[in-house]
């Protein structure tokens, strides 16, 4: 422990504590760790409230398991980069989502349709994070977290499910700070040690100097290897995304916290506003802060960005400024990516960028969103060989998102061009590009409809989007016509308990069919 630094940070914490108590937020914990050694320089286990034992100030919060909020999102992003399962600008879905009954929402309850992965991380969007975790696998992520140094995951991955990425599991400030420090140490040492890794770079923070050799596993000290838990390039790319952290959805001018040196930082807020987290890292230091009530009481405004981040940045201001991490070029490779989708460029992508990515991403997927479409000579309508001769067709590459993603994406991206409609004399039911998609419920296999308080059975609401704003959709359940919609495609109905079939037909004859099962107890 650095005595002078400890005293100065005690003063910073106490100054914020006095302000926080006006909102009945009574506890703060802060940890400052040196990246090179992992040594803890400052340890504030809790605040002081003389004569107020009910405030829980006797609890050492630093090793206490608390809901992590969004603080684990960078670990998922880094793991996916490390395994070649994503590139920094790969588009990730950001649409209303329901997966096996789990329905995550973004903080501001709005959607972008699709968003580059690194921007989703910088903005801490919940829905893209859940989509990424579903793609990566909750069980695999659980395993990675344990390998990185998270000791609080005592139950199987199935217990946490997809919610683990949004705070559905407990973590402690000690482990979290240790993992961010280990990532920074790995990146620093890779650049220093001829592009090699040491297995001793990942270890917990060190509090007692004499335990140093035990903590870092002395038998691996000085031994270098070709790989680590996370590659240098995946760590560097993650930190670069974290530098761009912003919170427009929380209507906070986060720039007021800007410090004199570059910092990769992340905040987290647990469900019910019970825990506020902020962790920042540069090549020299990790600063980790937790704010809340030791007894778990939630408070309005108890968010990471509003309570923990100001403390974290005030601490960084008194630390020695640091140069930024060196770019691990030898662990990266230049590839061409589609400018629109962030996937590897396919031969039909119109605009491409040449970017540096982790070597693990070299074999990532080709852009799935560009397709060749057939237009008539006017290029105003799509056509098929059944209504137009091939010699009169104009072929064009077109950037096409799935209908639900498109509906939200085009509202925020003016460059997005919707597909031209089919010419009136062309049949569309066999088109490879579908015009309709169900927004809710997405998984139609099993739907539970409860009875209302007055004893009547509730309704299930189906919502559909269509690429054509003027489209008319005809709705059928079990081949029985139940109505039509235009413009806004939403229909509520009360099917009986059991198996059913939903059929949607638009005015051009395109058909969408889904089978589903209604669950519930029969009315007595």
């Amino acid at each position: 422990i650095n005595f002078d630094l400890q005293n100065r940070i005690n003063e910073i914490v106490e100054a914020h504590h006095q302000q926080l108590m006006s909102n009945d937020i009574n506890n703060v914990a802060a940890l400052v760790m040196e990246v090179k050694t992992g040594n803890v320089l400052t340890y504030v286990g809790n605040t002081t409230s003389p004569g107020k034992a009910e405030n829980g100030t006797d609890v050492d919060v630093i090793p206490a398991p608390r809901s992590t909020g969004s603080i684990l999102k960078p670990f998922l992003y880094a793991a996916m980069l490390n395994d070649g399962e994503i590139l920094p600008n790969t588009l990730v879905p950001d649409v209303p989502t329901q997966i096996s009954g789990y329905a995550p929402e973004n903080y501001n309850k709005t959607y972008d349709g699709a968003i580059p992965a690194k921007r989703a991380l910088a903005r801490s969007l919940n829905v893209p994070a859940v989509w990424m975790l579903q793609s990566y696998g909750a069980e695999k992520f659980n395993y990675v977290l344990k390998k990185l140094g998270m000791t609080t995951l005592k139950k199987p991955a199935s217990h946490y499910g997809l919610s683990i990425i949004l705070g559905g599991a407990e973590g402690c400030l000690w482990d979290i700070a240790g993992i961010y420090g280990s990532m920074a140490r790995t990146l620093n040492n890779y650049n220093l040690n001829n592009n090699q890794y040491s297995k001793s770079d990942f270890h917990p923070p060190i509090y007692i100097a004499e335990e140093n050799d035990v903590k870092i596993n002395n038998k691996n000290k000085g031994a270098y290897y070709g790989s680590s838990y996370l590659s240098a390039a995946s760590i560097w790319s993650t930190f670069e995304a974290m530098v761009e952290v912003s919170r427009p959805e929380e209507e906070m001018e986060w720039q007021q916290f800007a410090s004199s040196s570059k910092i990769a930082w992340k905040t987290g807020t647990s469900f019910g506003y019970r825990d506020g987290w902020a962790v920042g890292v540069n090549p020299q230091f990790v600063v980790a802060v937790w704010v809340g009530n030791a007894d778990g009481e939630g408070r309005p405004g108890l968010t990471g960005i509003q309570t923990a981040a100001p403390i974290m940045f005030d601490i960084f201001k008194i630390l020695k400024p640091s140069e930024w991490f060196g770019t691990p070029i030898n662990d990266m490779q230049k590839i061409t990516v589609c400018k629109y989708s962030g996937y590897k460029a396919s031969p039909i992508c119109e605009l491409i960028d040449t970017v540096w990515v982790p070597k693990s991403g070299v074999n990532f997927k080709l852009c799935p969103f560009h397709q060749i479409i057939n237009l008539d000579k006017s290029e105003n309508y799509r056509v098929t060989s059944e209504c137009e001769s091939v010699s009169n067709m104009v072929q064009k590459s077109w950037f096409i998102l799935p209908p639900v993603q498109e509906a939200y994406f085009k509202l925020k991206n003016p460059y997005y061009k919707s597909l031209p409609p089919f010419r009136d004399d062309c049949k569309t039911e066999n088109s490879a590009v579908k015009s309709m998609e169900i927004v809710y419920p997405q998984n139609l296999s099993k739907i539970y409809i409860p009875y209302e308080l007055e004893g009547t059975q509730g309704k299930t609401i189906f919502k559909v989007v269509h690429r054509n704003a003027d489209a008319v959709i005809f709705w059928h359940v079990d081949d029985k016509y139940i109505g039509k919609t235009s413009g806004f495609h939403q229909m509520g109905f009360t099917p009986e308990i059991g198996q059913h079939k939903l059929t949607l037909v638009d005015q051009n004859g395109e058909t969408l069919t889904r089978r589903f099962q209604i669950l519930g107890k029969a009315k007595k």
Side-chain angles (χ1 to χ4, degrees):
I1 296 295
N2 182 304
F3 182 79
D4 292 335
L5 184 63
Q6 178 77 43
N7 284 336
R8 295 179 70 186
I9 292 177
N10 283 346
E11 292 173 359
I12 291 172
V13 168
E14 184 55 30
H16 284 274
H17 178 221
Q18 293 299 320
Q19 297 176 1
L20 292 165
M21 283 195 299
S22 64
N23 187 25
D24 291 327
I25 301 172
N26 299 311
N27 307 109
V28 179
L31 192 70
V32 178
M33 187 181 75
E34 183 181 57
V35 167
K36 183 177 181 179
T37 61
N39 292 339
V40 173
L41 305 180
T42 300
Y43 191 109
V44 181
N46 207 327
T47 47
T48 58
S49 295
K52 295 183 179 180
E54 68 274 12
N55 287 350
T57 52
D58 291 338
V59 176
D60 182 0
V61 180
I62 287 176
R66 307 288 303 202
S67 172
T68 55
S70 296
I71 211 73
L72 305 182
K73 287 176 182 175
F75 304 153
L76 174 62
Y77 181 75
M80 294 187 74
L81 288 172
N82 182 76
D83 293 354
E85 295 193 22
I86 207 165
L87 298 177
N89 285 313
T90 300
L91 284 182
V92 182
D94 183 24
V95 295
T97 297
Q98 185 183 55
I99 303 172
S100 300
Y102 182 52
E105 291 184 328
N106 292 328
Y107 183 87
N108 63 354
K109 295 181 171 55
T110 64
Y111 304 93
D112 283 44
I115 186 170
K118 73 175 185 180
R119 285 297 302 148
L121 175 60
R123 290 177 55 194
S124 197
L125 297 178
N126 292 338
V127 172
V130 171
W131 277 97
M132 290 168 65
L133 181 56
Q134 186 190 37
S135 172
Y136 188 70
E139 187 168 343
K140 184 161 64 168
F141 184 54
N142 186 279
Y143 173 79
V144 168
L145 289 174
K146 291 179 179 178
K147 296 291 286 185
L148 295 181
M150 200 163 165
T151 62
T152 51
L153 301 176
K154 306 296 186 182
K155 297 180 180 178
S158 58
H159 173 80
Y160 308 111
L162 297 176
S163 72
I164 192 173
I165 200 62
L166 304 183
E170 295 78 27
C172 64
L173 202 65
W174 182 261
D175 287 352
I176 301 301
I179 296 173
Y180 279 108
S182 295
M183 290 169 67
R185 193 178 306 113
T186 296
L187 180 53
N188 285 342
N189 288 344
Y190 176 86
N191 290 327
L192 288 172
N193 298 324
N194 298 317
N195 309 320
Q196 290 182 302
Y197 298 96
S198 171
K199 287 186 176 179
S200 65
D201 284 342
F202 266 86
H203 63 80
I206 298 161
Y207 184 54
I208 300 175
E210 288 76 11
E211 294 183 0
N212 182 60
D213 287 342
V214 176
K215 290 285 186 183
I216 66 174
N217 195 352
N218 195 42
K219 67 180 181 180
N220 286 324
K221 194 175 181 181
Y224 294 99
Y225 302 85
S227 63
S228 179
Y229 299 121
L230 295 172
S231 70
S234 66
I235 294 170
W236 182 86
S237 299
T238 300
F239 287 166
E240 285 291 298
M242 292 170 66
V243 168
E244 301 175 12
V245 163
S246 59
R247 293 293 182 277
E249 63 271 24
E250 296 186 25
E251 301 179 348
M252 283 288 294
E253 291 295 330
W254 67 271
Q255 289 89 344
Q256 65 181 299
F257 303 136
S259 95
S260 58
S261 61
K262 198 171 179 181
I263 299 166
W265 61 290
K266 183 75 186 74
T267 61
T269 303
S270 68
F271 179 78
Y273 303 104
R274 294 178 173 88
D275 306 89
W277 300 75
V279 179
V281 58
N282 65 23
Q284 283 188 282
F285 303 105
V286 174
V287 177
V289 177
W290 173 92
V291 175
N293 286 307
D295 63 2
E297 179 188 359
R299 295 297 303 163
L302 205 173
T303 65
I305 190 71
Q306 291 177 297
T307 62
I311 301 173
M312 180 194 72
F313 278 100
D314 279 352
I315 293 173
F316 265 114
K317 286 175 185 176
I318 68 170
L319 297 176
K320 181 181 177 182
S322 172
E323 298 293 328
W324 191 236
F325 296 98
T327 307
I329 290 295
N330 289 325
D331 194 37
M332 305 178 79
Q333 188 164 325
K334 268 188 177 180
I335 64 170
T336 56
V337 299
C338 172
K339 190 169 184 178
Y340 288 148
S341 72
Y343 283 73
K344 284 186 67 178
S346 75
I348 61 173
C349 288
E350 296 178 291
L351 296 177
I352 62 173
D353 282 333
T354 301
V355 297
W356 288 95
V357 301
K359 283 184 177 179
S360 53
V362 168
N363 296 317
F364 190 63
K365 305 170 188 174
L366 294 178
C367 173
F369 298 120
H370 274 92
Q371 298 183 38
I372 298 295
I373 63 168
N374 296 316
L375 303 173
D376 65 4
K377 283 190 173 181
S378 73
E379 299 188 13
N380 292 323
Y381 296 98
R382 281 185 287 163
V383 292
T384 68
S385 58
E386 296 178 3
C387 60
E388 184 64 87
S389 64
V390 175
S391 60
N392 288 332
M393 291 182 185
V394 176
Q395 290 194 327
K396 277 201 167 184
S397 175
W398 210 278
F399 177 57
I400 309 169
L401 289 171
V404 176
Q405 293 183 36
E406 177 185 281
Y408 292 93
F409 188 86
K410 66 184 181 183
L411 297 177
K412 297 189 176 183
N413 298 274
Y415 70 84
Y416 187 85
K417 293 171 60 179
S418 297
L419 279 168
F422 276 97
R423 206 167 64 193
D424 289 342
D425 60 332
C426 293
K427 295 181 180 180
T428 65
E429 56 262 38
N430 295 323
S431 172
V433 180
K434 299 304 178 185
S435 299
M436 293 184 287
E437 189 176 1
I438 294 174
V439 179
Y440 181 85
Q442 290 169 329
N443 182 357
L444 296 183
S445 58
K446 294 181 180 180
I447 303 170
Y448 179 77
I449 305 179
Y451 279 93
E452 306 291 354
L453 291 175
E454 63 272 19
T456 59
Q457 189 177 9
K459 289 186 176 183
T460 182
I461 307 295
F462 288 92
K463 184 178 179 182
V464 177
V465 295
H466 198 289
R467 296 187 192 276
N468 182 356
D470 300 321
V472 176
I473 298 179
F474 302 91
W475 298 64
H476 307 77
V477 174
D478 300 330
D479 299 323
K480 180 181 178 181
Y481 175 72
I482 61 170
K484 66 179 181 179
T485 55
S486 59
F488 183 69
H489 304 290
Q490 185 168 298
M491 182 76 72
F493 51 97
T494 309
E496 295 180 353
I497 294 172
Q499 300 284 343
H500 299 278
K501 181 177 72 172
L502 172 69
T503 304
L504 307 170
V505 183
D506 71 6
Q507 77 273 22
N508 294 319
E510 182 176 323
T511 301
L512 175 63
T513 300
R514 291 288 185 273
R515 295 189 178 275
F516 62 96
Q517 180 182 0
I518 296 295
L519 303 176
K521 295 180 180 179
K523 185 179 177 182
K524 294 182 180 180

